[in-house]
Amino acid sequence: MYLEHLSLTDFRSYAQVDLALEPGVTVLVGYNGIGKTNLMEAIGYLATLSSHRVSSDAPLLRFGTERALVRARLVRGTQTTVLELEINGSRANRGRINRSNPVRARDLVGICQTVLFAPEDLALVKGDPSNRRRFLDELLASLIPHHAATRSDYDRVLKQRNALLKSARAGRFTSAHESTLEVWDQHMARAGAELLHARLELVERLRPHLARAYAELTDASKPADATYRSTLQNQMDDDGVPAGSSPRAKPGGSSDGPDDLRLLSVDQLTERYIQAFAESRKKELERGISLVGPHRDDLELMLGQAPAKGYASHGETWSMCLSLRLASYYVMLDDARTGGSAPILILDDVFAELDVQRRRKLAAIVSGAEQVLVTAAVDADIPGELSGRRVKVVPGGIDEQ
């Protein structure tokens, strides 16, 4: 799959811009602040309904406007698909597929598949657990689109349950509170179990690819791995650090005996959550928040025997971030071999952050992708392995060369 045409209206700095693209490597060159990243951000947003730069939609709208439009024409084999996404400041976003009637924005998820590398990826290692949870959930939705609804349903139930806990904390915990909380426990346990089950399966798919990608980038002796930390095994503190003295889970999110969550079905995980809610009831009422669930889990990234966070050097941190993105690319390629689509690779200002060795290795790995979109301030930042079409980005638009 590749992106043949991108059109933006009132998105970020662009009142209107059209960009024709083709398979292979395209490098967008322009000085910093000119709007290169805005173009890449729009493609990434079309794929995941989220920005890699901001947490809300408001900054995506050109200042003084109330909506932005992202249009894209995708080609897969002999099939062409036109996607349109309307980003609204005051109401729900809407989408169109092949100029059909408007649909929910999330119905577009999974059609345009991308893997986006960006300097902001450092947060995957150095940032708080929410960055890593988001990484997993966005990849899940790209691979299996209905998981976008799974996460949305869980967030909705979590919000309602937290509101009830806060209400109970503010007043006296009555029998009415208790019976209502039990109902929300059931809803949240089921939604949480479905999300946890999907994440655990995804982590198992990612782990071998993560090890492979890190070895390809670094030739390092320390292997890269990932461990899923669930609140069903250890309650987490506000920084995502396991609290208490429960045993550490083995790589992949398991520990000895019954704590190997990968062996449990959704129904069994649901029962585990209901039990965990009951055990945490007193503490949750004291704090007025839900302390158990996927919203407090973490994906711990490991280099050798040590966590990457806090122990990895700057170079190792960058390599781990790149390896995570490459692992997600390899997982998508696995799906492409059984009927899925190979993703569009987007490297937004990444090469300027890397040393010469890592530049060359990353370029060699991605150069064979069906479509690679790269941004850079100067041509000198781009390794020779990524020779291809050059597009000059100028204030407010594109200067085709």
Side-chain angles (χ1 to χ4, degrees), residues 310-374:
Y311 290 88
S313 67
H314 184 70
E316 289 173 331
T317 298
W318 255 116
S319 295
M320 178 62 86
C321 297
L322 295 172
S323 298
L324 268 179
R325 293 300 183 190
L326 284 173
S328 63
Y329 170 57
Y330 292 147
V331 168
M332 288 183 176
L333 286 184
D334 288 344
D335 274 18
R337 296 185 185 101
T338 57
S341 297
I344 300 164
L345 295 188
I346 301 173
L347 289 83
D348 180 33
D349 249 352
V350 170
F351 289 109
E353 305 287 339
L354 304 178
D355 57 41
V356 173
Q357 182 184 28
R358 286 184 175 86
R359 286 184 187 184
R360 289 175 175 169
K361 289 187 175 182
L362 178 60
I365 292 169
V366 305
S367 60
E370 184 173 4
Q371 186 172 49
V372 186
L373 306 178
V374 185

Side-chain angles (χ1 to χ4, degrees), residues 125-263:
V125 174
K126 301 176 71 173
D128 63 50
S130 64
N131 295 286
R132 294 177 286 278
R133 292 193 296 266
R134 176 181 169 184
F135 165 77
L136 290 176
D137 292 341
E138 287 184 354
L139 180 54
L140 268 176
S142 293
L143 295 168
I144 309 171
H146 83 256
H147 279 309
T150 302
R151 180 60 204 244
S152 179
D153 290 345
Y154 180 78
D155 288 342
R156 176 182 55 81
V157 173
L158 174 64
K159 183 178 180 180
Q160 294 289 340
R161 189 173 185 271
N162 279 345
L164 181 60
L165 288 169
K166 288 177 183 177
S167 172
R169 181 189 183 196
R172 188 169 62 88
F173 187 59
T174 65
S175 57
H177 280 122
E178 184 172 7
S179 60
T180 305
L181 191 55
E182 288 175 356
V183 172
W184 285 115
D185 283 355
Q186 295 287 336
H187 289 309
M188 186 162 147
R190 185 68 189 186
E194 291 176 357
L195 183 57
L196 175 59
H197 191 267
R199 284 182 182 175
L200 289 170
E201 287 189 338
L202 178 59
V203 171
E204 286 305 294
R205 294 184 65 186
L206 279 169
R207 290 177 61 214
H209 290 308
L210 176 63
R212 166 192 168 188
Y214 193 82
E216 289 174 336
L217 281 172
T218 67
D219 297 325
S221 58
K222 289 187 288 187
D225 203 351
T227 300
Y228 191 89
R229 303 289 187 202
S230 170
T231 48
L232 283 181
Q233 295 163 319
N234 299 295
Q235 284 200 26
M236 307 290 176
D237 65 20
D238 292 334
D239 295 320
V241 178
S245 57
S246 297
R248 288 173 64 86
K250 290 181 179 179
S254 67
S255 61
D256 291 329
D259 262 353
D260 190 344
L261 301 180
R262 297 168 298 177
L263 302 179

